[in-house]
Amino acid sequence: MSNNTEQKETPHIKPNGVEIAETILLPGDPLRAKFIAETYLENPVQFNSVRNMFGFTGSYQGKKVSVMGTGMGMPSMSLYSWELIHVFGVKNLIRIGTCGAIQDQMNLYDIVLAMGASTDSRYVHQYNLPGEFSNIASFSLLEKAKQGADSKGLPVHVGNVLTSDIFYNADPTAIEKWRKMGILCVEMETAGLYMNAAYAGVNALTILTVSDHIIRNEQTTPEERQLAFTNMMEIALGLA
Protein backbone atom coordinates (compact mmCIF):
# COMPACT_ATOMS: atom_id res chain seq x y z
CA MET A 1 0.00 0.00 0.00
CA SER A 2 1.31 3.44 -0.85
CA ASN A 3 2.09 5.76 2.03
CA ASN A 4 -0.23 8.62 1.16
CA THR A 5 -1.56 9.54 4.59
CA GLU A 6 0.81 12.50 4.88
CA GLN A 7 -0.26 15.79 3.36
CA LYS A 8 0.95 15.56 -0.22
CA GLU A 9 -0.46 17.61 -3.05
CA THR A 10 0.35 19.07 -6.45
CA PRO A 11 -1.19 21.99 -8.32
CA HIS A 12 -3.50 19.46 -10.00
CA ILE A 13 -4.21 16.83 -7.31
CA LYS A 14 -5.14 17.87 -3.77
CA PRO A 15 -6.24 14.79 -1.78
CA ASN A 16 -6.55 16.59 1.60
CA GLY A 17 -5.17 13.55 3.39
CA VAL A 18 -7.26 10.95 1.53
CA GLU A 19 -5.17 7.95 0.51
CA ILE A 20 -4.53 7.20 -3.15
CA ALA A 21 -4.16 3.44 -3.66
CA GLU A 22 -1.21 1.78 -5.36
CA THR A 23 -3.58 0.61 -8.10
CA ILE A 24 -5.59 3.23 -9.96
CA LEU A 25 -8.04 3.14 -12.86
CA LEU A 26 -7.69 6.06 -15.24
CA PRO A 27 -10.65 6.87 -17.48
CA GLY A 28 -10.35 10.00 -19.58
CA ASP A 29 -13.78 11.26 -18.54
CA PRO A 30 -14.00 12.37 -14.88
CA LEU A 31 -17.72 11.54 -14.92
CA ARG A 32 -16.80 7.97 -15.79
CA ALA A 33 -14.53 7.96 -12.75
CA LYS A 34 -17.47 9.11 -10.63
CA PHE A 35 -19.70 6.41 -12.13
CA ILE A 36 -17.14 3.69 -11.36
CA ALA A 37 -16.69 4.89 -7.78
CA GLU A 38 -20.42 5.05 -7.13
CA THR A 39 -21.21 1.76 -8.89
CA TYR A 40 -18.35 -0.53 -7.92
CA LEU A 41 -16.39 0.79 -4.95
CA GLU A 42 -17.26 0.23 -1.31
CA ASN A 43 -17.09 3.37 0.85
CA PRO A 44 -15.64 5.62 -1.87
CA VAL A 45 -14.09 8.86 -0.72
CA GLN A 46 -13.30 11.67 -3.14
CA PHE A 47 -9.64 12.68 -3.18
CA ASN A 48 -9.62 15.22 -5.98
CA SER A 49 -11.85 17.87 -7.49
CA VAL A 50 -9.27 20.30 -8.87
CA ARG A 51 -10.37 21.37 -12.38
CA ASN A 52 -13.30 18.94 -11.91
CA MET A 53 -10.88 16.06 -12.53
CA PHE A 54 -12.59 13.82 -10.02
CA GLY A 55 -10.69 11.13 -8.14
CA PHE A 56 -11.97 8.59 -5.61
CA THR A 57 -10.54 5.87 -3.38
CA GLY A 58 -12.52 2.91 -2.09
CA SER A 59 -12.44 -0.86 -1.88
CA TYR A 60 -13.24 -3.54 -4.45
CA GLN A 61 -13.53 -7.12 -3.25
CA GLY A 62 -11.55 -6.20 -0.16
CA LYS A 63 -8.71 -4.45 -1.99
CA LYS A 64 -8.00 -0.74 -1.94
CA VAL A 65 -8.34 0.86 -5.36
CA SER A 66 -8.54 4.40 -6.71
CA VAL A 67 -10.08 5.84 -9.86
CA MET A 68 -9.45 9.24 -11.42
CA GLY A 69 -10.12 11.05 -14.68
CA THR A 70 -7.17 12.13 -16.81
CA GLY A 71 -8.70 14.31 -19.53
CA MET A 72 -7.97 14.00 -23.24
CA GLY A 73 -4.62 13.65 -24.96
CA MET A 74 -1.09 12.69 -24.01
CA PRO A 75 -0.19 15.98 -22.28
CA SER A 76 -3.07 15.61 -19.83
CA MET A 77 -2.58 11.87 -19.24
CA SER A 78 1.16 12.31 -18.89
CA LEU A 79 0.81 15.11 -16.35
CA TYR A 80 -1.60 13.23 -14.11
CA SER A 81 0.15 9.87 -14.38
CA TRP A 82 3.56 11.46 -13.61
CA GLU A 83 2.19 13.05 -10.45
CA LEU A 84 0.39 9.87 -9.37
CA ILE A 85 3.60 7.87 -9.78
CA HIS A 86 6.20 10.27 -8.42
CA VAL A 87 4.27 12.19 -5.76
CA PHE A 88 1.64 9.72 -4.59
CA GLY A 89 3.44 6.39 -5.05
CA VAL A 90 1.03 4.69 -7.45
CA LYS A 91 2.44 1.41 -8.81
CA ASN A 92 -0.24 0.05 -11.15
CA LEU A 93 -1.90 2.44 -13.61
CA ILE A 94 -4.72 1.10 -15.75
CA ARG A 95 -6.17 3.32 -18.42
CA ILE A 96 -9.75 2.48 -19.33
CA GLY A 97 -10.91 4.39 -22.35
CA THR A 98 -12.52 4.41 -25.74
CA CYS A 99 -11.04 4.02 -29.19
CA GLY A 100 -11.85 4.14 -32.86
CA ALA A 101 -11.34 0.78 -34.55
CA ILE A 102 -9.68 0.63 -37.97
CA GLN A 103 -9.56 -3.12 -38.67
CA ASP A 104 -12.35 -5.05 -40.40
CA GLN A 105 -12.62 -7.81 -37.78
CA MET A 106 -13.47 -5.32 -35.02
CA ASN A 107 -16.93 -4.20 -33.90
CA LEU A 108 -18.48 -1.68 -31.52
CA TYR A 109 -18.09 -2.66 -27.85
CA ASP A 110 -15.17 -5.04 -28.54
CA ILE A 111 -12.41 -4.95 -25.91
CA VAL A 112 -8.87 -3.95 -26.91
CA LEU A 113 -5.82 -4.65 -24.74
CA ALA A 114 -2.99 -2.37 -25.81
CA MET A 115 0.07 -4.62 -25.90
CA GLY A 116 1.90 -1.77 -27.62
CA ALA A 117 1.24 1.86 -28.45
CA SER A 118 2.63 3.45 -31.58
CA THR A 119 2.41 7.23 -31.68
CA ASP A 120 2.78 10.34 -33.78
CA SER A 121 3.72 12.32 -30.67
CA ARG A 122 7.19 13.63 -29.83
CA TYR A 123 6.79 13.05 -26.08
CA VAL A 124 9.70 10.59 -26.12
CA HIS A 125 12.22 13.28 -27.12
CA GLN A 126 12.73 14.30 -23.46
CA TYR A 127 14.59 11.05 -22.75
CA ASN A 128 17.27 11.74 -25.39
CA LEU A 129 17.39 8.08 -26.41
CA PRO A 130 19.90 6.99 -29.09
CA GLY A 131 17.18 5.24 -31.11
CA GLU A 132 13.45 4.45 -31.23
CA PHE A 133 11.57 3.38 -28.08
CA SER A 134 8.79 0.76 -28.13
CA ASN A 135 5.89 1.65 -25.84
CA ILE A 136 4.62 -1.61 -24.34
CA ALA A 137 2.30 -2.68 -21.54
CA SER A 138 3.22 -4.46 -18.33
CA PHE A 139 2.93 -8.16 -19.19
CA SER A 140 1.68 -9.12 -15.72
CA LEU A 141 -1.30 -6.78 -16.09
CA LEU A 142 -1.82 -7.67 -19.76
CA GLU A 143 -1.89 -11.42 -19.06
CA LYS A 144 -4.35 -11.03 -16.18
CA ALA A 145 -6.61 -8.73 -18.20
CA LYS A 146 -6.70 -11.21 -21.11
CA GLN A 147 -7.66 -13.98 -18.72
CA GLY A 148 -10.40 -11.76 -17.28
CA ALA A 149 -11.81 -10.96 -20.70
CA ASP A 150 -11.70 -14.62 -21.75
CA SER A 151 -13.49 -15.69 -18.57
CA LYS A 152 -16.34 -13.36 -19.51
CA GLY A 153 -16.45 -14.69 -23.05
CA LEU A 154 -15.85 -11.22 -24.47
CA PRO A 155 -14.55 -10.38 -27.95
CA VAL A 156 -11.04 -9.14 -27.19
CA HIS A 157 -8.21 -7.94 -29.43
CA VAL A 158 -4.61 -7.80 -28.19
CA GLY A 159 -2.06 -5.81 -30.15
CA ASN A 160 -0.75 -2.44 -31.24
CA VAL A 161 -2.80 0.75 -30.94
CA LEU A 162 -2.10 4.24 -32.19
CA THR A 163 -1.81 7.05 -29.67
CA SER A 164 -2.34 10.16 -31.75
CA ASP A 165 -2.06 13.85 -30.93
CA ILE A 166 -4.52 14.53 -33.75
CA PHE A 167 -8.28 14.00 -33.57
CA TYR A 168 -9.15 15.89 -36.76
CA ASN A 169 -6.35 14.95 -39.13
CA ALA A 170 -5.66 17.18 -42.14
CA ASP A 171 -4.04 14.18 -43.87
CA PRO A 172 -6.86 11.88 -45.08
CA THR A 173 -4.38 9.10 -45.89
CA ALA A 174 -2.93 8.77 -42.39
CA ILE A 175 -5.37 6.20 -41.01
CA GLU A 176 -4.94 3.85 -43.97
CA LYS A 177 -1.16 3.89 -43.51
CA TRP A 178 -1.48 2.89 -39.85
CA ARG A 179 -4.14 0.32 -40.76
CA LYS A 180 -1.74 -1.39 -43.18
CA MET A 181 0.75 -1.74 -40.32
CA GLY A 182 -1.78 -3.76 -38.33
CA ILE A 183 -2.74 -1.03 -35.87
CA LEU A 184 -6.01 -2.06 -34.23
CA CYS A 185 -7.45 1.30 -33.26
CA VAL A 186 -6.77 4.94 -32.52
CA GLU A 187 -6.82 6.68 -29.13
CA MET A 188 -4.93 9.60 -27.58
CA GLU A 189 -3.29 8.71 -24.25
CA THR A 190 -1.60 5.31 -23.97
CA ALA A 191 1.90 6.00 -25.29
CA GLY A 192 2.43 8.77 -22.75
CA LEU A 193 1.27 6.54 -19.92
CA TYR A 194 3.51 3.68 -21.04
CA MET A 195 6.55 5.95 -21.30
CA ASN A 196 5.98 7.44 -17.85
CA ALA A 197 5.54 3.98 -16.37
CA ALA A 198 8.62 2.55 -18.10
CA TYR A 199 10.83 5.42 -16.97
CA ALA A 200 9.62 5.08 -13.38
CA GLY A 201 9.72 1.27 -13.30
CA VAL A 202 6.01 0.80 -12.52
CA ASN A 203 3.20 -1.10 -14.24
CA ALA A 204 0.77 0.24 -16.82
CA LEU A 205 -1.91 -1.18 -19.08
CA THR A 206 -4.58 0.28 -21.34
CA ILE A 207 -7.93 -1.44 -21.72
CA LEU A 208 -10.17 0.07 -24.39
CA THR A 209 -13.71 -0.35 -25.61
CA VAL A 210 -14.44 0.28 -29.28
CA SER A 211 -16.74 3.31 -29.27
CA ASP A 212 -16.38 4.08 -32.98
CA HIS A 213 -15.42 2.24 -36.13
CA ILE A 214 -13.60 4.82 -38.19
CA ILE A 215 -13.60 2.87 -41.46
CA ARG A 216 -17.29 1.92 -41.29
CA ASN A 217 -18.40 5.26 -39.77
CA GLU A 218 -20.13 3.58 -36.81
CA GLN A 219 -20.32 5.17 -33.37
CA THR A 220 -21.84 4.99 -29.91
CA THR A 221 -23.48 7.87 -28.03
CA PRO A 222 -21.77 9.98 -25.31
CA GLU A 223 -24.14 8.46 -22.75
CA GLU A 224 -23.11 4.95 -23.76
CA ARG A 225 -19.45 5.91 -23.50
CA GLN A 226 -19.96 7.14 -19.95
CA LEU A 227 -22.19 4.41 -18.59
CA ALA A 228 -22.36 1.30 -20.77
CA PHE A 229 -18.74 0.15 -20.91
CA THR A 230 -19.02 -1.96 -17.77
CA ASN A 231 -17.16 -5.00 -19.15
CA MET A 232 -14.00 -2.94 -19.52
CA MET A 233 -14.44 -1.48 -16.03
CA GLU A 234 -14.88 -4.91 -14.44
CA ILE A 235 -11.81 -6.34 -16.19
CA ALA A 236 -9.76 -3.40 -14.90
CA LEU A 237 -11.11 -3.70 -11.35
CA GLY A 238 -10.15 -7.37 -11.40
CA LEU A 239 -6.51 -6.30 -11.70
CA ALA A 240 -6.52 -4.52 -8.32
Side-chain angles (χ1 to χ4, degrees), residues 1-27:
M1 189 65 61
S2 55
N3 181 20
N4 295 318
T5 54
E6 60 185 280
Q7 291 292 324
K8 296 179 181 179
E9 64 176 43
T10 73
H12 316 101
I13 305 175
K14 297 184 184 298
N16 295 317
V18 177
E19 182 180 21
I20 301 176
E22 285 191 349
T23 297
I24 191 166
L25 275 60
L26 300 172

Side-chain angles (χ1 to χ4, degrees), residues 22-30 32-33 36 53 65-78 80-81 84-85 90-100 111-118 137-138 141-142 145 161-164 167 185-195 197 203-212 225 229 231-237 239:
E22 285 191 349
T23 297
I24 191 166
L25 275 60
L26 300 172
D29 185 352
R32 195 178 303 144
I36 293 168
M53 197 59 74
V65 62
S66 295
V67 57
M68 180 181 170
T70 62
M72 290 187 286
M74 276 183 53
S76 187
M77 162 60 84
S78 301
Y80 286 112
S81 60
L84 289 166
I85 294 166
V90 175
K91 303 298 184 186
N92 303 295
L93 300 95
I94 304 158
R95 162 161 157 69
I96 49 173
T98 58
C99 64
I111 300 295
V112 177
L113 304 179
M115 181 168 62
S118 298
S138 164
L141 293 179
L142 177 65
V161 308
L162 171 64
T163 300
S164 181
F167 193 88
C185 61
V186 184
E187 55 89 66
M188 301 186 75
E189 288 82 25
T190 297
L193 172 63
Y194 284 9
M195 279 184 254
N203 299 312
L205 174 68
T206 285
I207 305 173
L208 302 166
T209 299
V210 176
S211 60
D212 306 83
R225 296 175 194 221
F229 297 155
N231 285 326
M232 168 180 63
M233 298 171 189
E234 291 168 5
I235 293 169
L237 285 163
L239 302 180

Side-chain angles (χ1 to χ4, degrees), residues 12 15 19 42 44 59 101 106-107 117-118 140 168 176 209 216 238:
H12 316 101
E19 182 180 21
E42 297 177 11
S59 295
M106 302 175 71
N107 298 295
S118 298
S140 60
Y168 301 106
E176 184 58 27
T209 299
R216 297 200 294 260

Side-chain angles (χ1 to χ4, degrees), residues 39-229:
T39 305
Y40 291 104
L41 299 188
E42 297 177 11
N43 304 313
V45 179
Q46 187 165 346
F47 70 77
N48 194 58
S49 61
V50 178
R51 293 175 178 256
N52 287 326
M53 197 59 74
F54 306 131
F56 305 85
T57 296
S59 295
Y60 181 76
Q61 297 181 347
K63 297 180 181 179
K64 191 76 72 176
V65 62
S66 295
V67 57
M68 180 181 170
T70 62
M72 290 187 286
M74 276 183 53
S76 187
M77 162 60 84
S78 301
L79 181 155
Y80 286 112
S81 60
W82 192 98
E83 292 183 351
L84 289 166
I85 294 166
H86 294 281
V87 179
F88 300 103
V90 175
K91 303 298 184 186
N92 303 295
L93 300 95
I94 304 158
R95 162 161 157 69
I96 49 173
T98 58
C99 64
I102 60 175
Q103 296 296 336
D104 294 335
Q105 74 273 20
M106 302 175 71
N107 298 295
L108 296 183
Y109 299 106
D110 283 2
I111 300 295
V112 177
L113 304 179
M115 181 168 62
S118 298
T119 186
D120 55 23
S121 168
R122 288 288 296 147
Y123 187 78
V124 73
H125 83 276
Q126 65 184 302
Y127 304 114
N128 294 309
L129 298 171
E132 300 295 327
F133 179 74
S134 296
N135 304 296
I136 59 172
S138 164
F139 181 74
S140 60
L141 293 179
L142 177 65
E143 182 181 37
K144 194 172 180 181
K146 179 61 164 60
Q147 292 170 349
D150 288 345
S151 71
K152 291 176 173 289
L154 298 173
V156 59
H157 308 271
V158 182
N160 204 351
V161 308
L162 171 64
T163 300
S164 181
D165 281 344
I166 307 167
F167 193 88
Y168 301 106
N169 200 324
D171 178 3
T173 69
I175 288 297
E176 184 58 27
K177 292 172 182 175
W178 289 111
R179 174 176 153 95
K180 286 181 177 178
M181 292 300 293
I183 295 294
L184 296 174
C185 61
V186 184
E187 55 89 66
M188 301 186 75
E189 288 82 25
T190 297
L193 172 63
Y194 284 9
M195 279 184 254
N196 278 358
Y199 192 70
V202 300
N203 299 312
L205 174 68
T206 285
I207 305 173
L208 302 166
T209 299
V210 176
S211 60
D212 306 83
H213 200 294
I214 296 172
I215 305 303
R216 297 200 294 260
N217 196 29
E218 301 170 352
Q219 56 191 267
T220 58
T221 68
E223 291 77 18
E224 288 171 326
R225 296 175 194 221
Q226 182 179 322
L227 301 176
F229 297 155

